[in-house]
Amino acid sequence: MNEPRLLEANGLTLHFGAIPALVDVDAQLWPGEVLAIVGESGSGKTTLLNVLAGRIRPDSGVVQYRAPDGEMLDVHAMPAPALRGLHRSDWGFVQQNPRENLRMGVSAGGNVGERLMARGERHYGDIRAEALRWLAEVEIDADRIDDLPRVFSGGMLQRLQIARTLVTHPRLVFMDEPTGGLDVSVQARLLDLIRSLVARLGIAVVLVTHDIAVARLLAARIMVMQRGRVVETGLTDQVLDDPQHPYTQLLVSSVLAA
Amino acid sequence: MTSEIGGYNFAYLDEQTKRMIRRALLKAVAIPGHQVPFGSREMPLPYGWGTGGIQVTAAVLGADDVLKVIDQGADDTTNAVSIRRFFARTAGVATTTRTAEATVIQTRHRIPEQPLREDQILVYQVPMPEPMAKLEPSRAETRRMHGLSDYGLMHVKLYEDIARFGQISISYDYPVMVNGRYLMSPSPIPAFDNPKMHQMAALQLFGAGREKRIYAIPPYTDVRSLDFEDHPFRAIRAPHPCGLCGAEDSYLDEVVTDNAGGRLFVCSDTDHCAERRACGHVGDDGVAEAAE
Amino acid sequence: MSAVVLRTEGLAKDFTLHLQGGVRIPVLAGIDLSLAAGTCVALSGPSGAGKSTLMRALYGNYRAGAGRILVRHDAQMVDLAAADPRTVIAVRRTTLGYVSQFLRVVPRVSALDVVAEVLMARGTDLAEARAVATELLCRLNIPARLHGLPPATFSGGEQQRVNLARGFIGCHPILLLDEPTASLDPANRDVVIGMIADAKARGIAIVGIFHDVEVRDSVADHLFPVMPLQEAA
């Protein structure tokens, strides 16, 4: 398959003191594809996500992103304003804790509209209409648009974060445990929402999760990480149904069947 | 060039400090709207009373300058009187209450009604120089936002106002974009005064003593109040003529005149009002006053 | 003789259980299977012989240990055993369909959309995909009132029929059926037999595991024996 890659990482290595957080990690992502990174806590998956997103600089290795005009951008060599520009329109980042991303003192509508305004939208009516549309997309009632997020439930906060992130129609979204810390029923609703939005809008996603059921549901491809290394990678269903590496077998066999 | 009282350098501050402040001012003028840190000194008045403005004034004041100081538009309030006398005694400069005669005007919370000239300097007292301070608590983050011209957050505040009140409810300290680049706090002047900053002939200097920041707007610089296309900026004033001089285009103070709910709207700019009355303009309540 | 659309050469598969001290369990060896368009091959053999394993290997769900799995995709033969994941995904999208024994239920997605999304993944618009899905579900006797509900609460037979609709809607040139009639009543079993016959008539090639000998005899053109390796050796 020679379709151009959206994101490509080669030879990523990063040490925190003596601890190897990433060891010679390669990764590729194609447009519209969901890639899951799984592994236990401390395996380096969130670090990898942050390095791919340009938020942590690796000791060595290169991350390249294909801009809409086709140019390959070196994520860690580009000027800060350009990277920030990417992060506020072409990219999105969904945190495990939505409070880290949302402005808790700003209404739901203001939270959704911020990226539009940061991009230069200056028409209040348009911004509000777009915010309403996105609240509907994430199943938040229109009459909550002027409420502060601090009165929202955990599941609503996470859905609001997703609306806030997707409002600029990013081509690439990084997600760090988007369903972590939520009740099972709330999780199911959120997963379904992410699944349908991502498929419908053709968004590419790098998804970090320790929950392999989440990976199976959302991702076509998967990377299994252990102690900073990618120990296995491939088709999600193949890796999970026929795991080759001892660590993947352990991971898969540790899951309770529902 | 002798000071009226001994023991102090001209205009109170030592020459080294004034040089330091002037260097900060030069940088501020070179980068309109950008906040420049400076080594703010202890001044013989409390923070919040104009320590920033007074240091800037001290640094730009020359022996033949004529100083005017206003507080909320008035020359006769405690703060204005104190600062005027401070410089009269430490620098021996001439002082005035007349806008047209002044070469340096230090102000708290107003811009004079009368258009300023190229040979005048307007010095603002600034309590909080960071326009996004209430929205983003991290100073490091707001600096990054200025650096990257990332001002979506400020518009979020305006959005919130319209969503909640149906209009932008900021009535003073209304944020402006300077020279199309830096977001700036105009200090707590009424939004009514904002348009006067745009393309002003006089040099505008801003000093924040407690926050240790100086910024500036050079003459003839674009200063735009933030707004939305469908909710444009509007300069709001009380819908009355001045009770004393009859002016219908000046910023008004509301004065309670008795215990029966009597009110009087008068020009906030006392000099402007006096000038107009001297030229024969008389408001409704002015006539009554003259008749008494 | 019609064109061969699927062929395996020396296909082998064993499992290494690292958690059990690295025990190696050989399941398949030297499988040479050939499938022509418009025909149905039934895998036969005792249970535990590896029929489902072979089926999953053909779909790329299990990784082949050795040999080749050649699939006719976009007018050329693609070796699934060596293909990269994205190629496998592309082959599955348009060429290779699979009906597993059990429906994998996705929370909150209606039966209709479980079926329709196969077409939507290829770019068919929502309304058209749903119309085709509705037709198929009705043919499989899923009452219309259930179409809008997620299949999680359906009976085993209903879930299996939703799964079949999902498998057949794509009209993939190659279809893998793992016990498609296992939990169906006679009437629905006959519907499935009819659907398989229709598919064959349209040139679709089928590999199936059929426990029900009656079903097998009515649809299969060839039997492909799969024997437990220990006995075969």
Side-chain angles (χ1 to χ4, degrees), chain C residues 1-6 35-40 173 200 202-206:
Chain C
M1 188 70 195
S2 320
V4 169
V5 292
L6 173 72
L35 178 69
T39 67
C40 175
K200 282 169 61 183
R202 274 182 289 147
I204 291 173
I206 291 169

Side-chain angles (χ1 to χ4, degrees), chain A residues 84 88 107 122 124-125, chain B residues 141 148 150 159-160 229-230:
Chain A
R84 189 147 173 139
R88 73 184 179 201
S107 70
R122 292 292 178 264
Y124 173 84
Chain B
E141 179 62 16
L148 303 175
D150 188 355
Y159 167 93
E160 293 286 281
E229 290 160 16
D230 49 344

Side-chain angles (χ1 to χ4, degrees), chain C:
Chain C
M1 188 70 195
S2 320
V4 169
V5 292
L6 173 72
R7 189 172 78 239
T8 69
E9 295 171 354
L11 177 62
K13 174 66 188 169
D14 53 41
F15 293 97
T16 305
L17 307 181
H18 292 285
L19 304 182
Q20 270 85 45
V23 180
R24 238 184 99 252
I25 302 173
V27 180
L28 304 171
I31 301 283
D32 295 315
L33 172 79
S34 182
L35 178 69
T39 67
C40 175
V41 169
L43 306 183
S44 69
S47 76
K51 299 188 296 292
S52 280
T53 299
L54 173 55
M55 197 75 108
R56 283 168 167 247
L58 293 178
Y59 192 58
N61 179 228
Y62 284 175
R63 192 174 298 197
R68 307 210 291 168
I69 303 168
L70 297 166
V71 173
R72 189 177 174 77
H73 172 69
D74 279 353
Q76 49 184 329
M77 296 306 270
V78 173
D79 181 5
L80 277 193
D84 65 83
R86 289 170 43 75
T87 304
V88 177
I89 291 167
V91 168
R92 287 176 178 181
R93 188 179 303 136
T94 55
T95 301
L96 187 60
Y98 175 57
V99 178
S100 58
Q101 282 191 54
F102 302 103
L103 176 67
R104 190 176 280 282
V105 178
V106 176
R108 296 218 313 161
V109 180
S110 69
L112 188 64
D113 286 349
V114 165
V115 179
E117 67 183 15
V118 176
L119 294 184
M120 281 156 64
R122 294 182 193 166
T124 309
D125 73 50
L126 180 70
E128 190 187 336
R130 280 185 174 165
V132 180
T134 303
E135 198 179 315
L136 255 178
L137 286 171
C138 289
R139 182 170 180 190
L140 283 156
N141 297 316
I142 302 286
R145 64 185 162 79
L146 293 183
H147 292 188
L149 302 178
T153 52
F154 291 10
S155 72
E158 286 164 342
Q159 288 196 10
Q160 180 61 348
R161 279 178 278 145
V162 171
N163 208 16
L164 280 160
R166 182 179 162 86
F168 276 88
I169 194 172
C171 296
H172 297 87
I174 307 168
L175 199 50
L176 311 175
L177 304 176
D178 193 348
E179 303 276 15
T181 58
S183 45
L184 301 187
D185 56 41
N188 282 311
R189 194 191 59 189
D190 291 344
V191 171
V192 174
I193 290 173
M195 286 171 66
I196 293 173
D198 288 354
K200 282 169 61 183
R202 274 182 289 147
I204 291 173
I206 291 169
V207 180
I209 301 172
F210 307 98
H211 246 98
D212 188 327
V213 178
E214 223 177 289
V215 175
R216 188 183 76 191
D217 290 348
S218 63
V219 298
D221 300 293
H222 311 281
L223 292 187
F224 184 87
V226 180
M227 285 297 149
L229 276 188
Q230 292 86 336
E231 291 173 33

Side-chain angles (χ1 to χ4, degrees), chain B:
Chain B
M1 198 194 353
T2 50
S3 300
E4 287 214 338
I5 52 172
Y8 290 104
N9 189 40
F10 177 78
Y12 184 75
L13 286 176
D14 63 276
E15 292 304 313
Q16 285 302 328
T17 298
K18 286 197 267 184
R19 252 176 233 143
M20 175 270 292
I21 294 172
R22 287 177 201 136
R23 278 196 297 273
L25 286 170
L26 285 174
K27 181 170 179 184
V29 168
I31 315 171
H34 171 61
Q35 300 167 43
V36 180
F38 80 110
S40 179
R41 297 292 190 256
E42 286 294 327
M43 297 304 286
L45 76 168
Y47 286 134
W49 288 36
T51 53
I54 209 171
Q55 290 181 79
V56 170
T57 300
V60 298
L61 213 53
D64 46 9
D65 269 317
V66 180
L67 179 68
K68 169 182 165 81
V69 182
I70 51 173
D71 175 3
Q72 305 272 21
D75 296 273
D76 53 1
T77 52
T78 314
N79 198 231
V81 170
S82 302
I83 293 173
R84 198 162 57 232
R85 277 168 55 188
F86 175 79
F87 283 114
R89 297 183 69 191
T90 59
V93 294
T95 62
T96 182
T97 59
R98 303 189 59 170
T99 302
E101 288 173 4
T103 56
V104 176
I105 303 171
Q106 180 172 334
T107 178
R108 172 175 177 267
H109 299 191
R110 274 311 309 277
I111 296 175
E113 302 291 355
Q114 187 175 338
L116 300 183
R117 302 183 310 264
E118 286 180 4
D119 62 342
Q120 294 178 308
I121 297 175
L122 185 59
V123 178
Y124 297 76
Q125 301 172 199
V126 181
M128 172 42 74
E130 177 47 63
M132 294 177 288
K134 282 187 189 148
L135 306 169
E136 172 56 63
S138 161
R139 179 67 67 83
E141 179 62 16
T142 55
R143 274 176 60 184
R144 199 153 39 232
M145 292 160 100
H146 283 297
L148 303 175
S149 206
D150 188 355
Y151 297 132
L153 180 58
M154 196 72 240
H155 270 92
V156 171
K157 156 71 178 150
L158 304 187
Y159 167 93
E160 293 286 281
D161 267 12
I162 300 171
R164 209 166 296 163
F165 310 116
Q167 60 186 30
I168 298 171
S169 69
I170 308 170
S171 54
Y172 65 93
D173 204 354
Y174 191 112
V176 293
M177 281 298 285
V178 178
N179 201 25
R181 173 61 183 84
Y182 281 98
L183 182 70
M184 192 193 88
S185 157
S187 85
I189 60 171
F192 175 84
D193 282 344
N194 271 21
K196 296 178 189 161
M197 307 179 90
H198 178 62
Q199 290 289 331
M200 186 189 277
L203 171 64
Q204 304 174 72
L205 304 175
F206 299 77
R210 185 187 51 216
E211 302 296 325
K212 301 177 173 54
R213 291 290 184 280
I214 279 171
Y215 51 99
I217 305 173
Y220 304 111
T221 301
D222 280 351
V223 179
R224 301 284 181 195
S225 302
L226 256 54
D227 61 2
F228 287 102
E229 290 160 16
D230 49 344
H231 285 266
F233 172 83
R234 283 179 304 148
I236 296 169
R237 68 186 286 276
H240 303 277
C242 170
L244 300 180
C245 74
E248 295 186 358
D249 57 356
S250 65
Y251 190 72
L252 301 176
D253 284 338
E254 182 180 358
V255 182
V256 176
T257 51
D258 53 35
N259 287 336
R263 299 180 307 173
L264 176 63
F265 287 93
V266 294
C267 289
S268 140
D269 185 338
T270 52
D271 173 61
H272 178 69
C273 197
E275 296 270 327
R276 280 178 54 82
R277 275 177 284 153
C279 292
H281 296 282
V282 181
D284 295 345
D285 301 283
V287 174
E289 222 171 55
E292 263 177 62

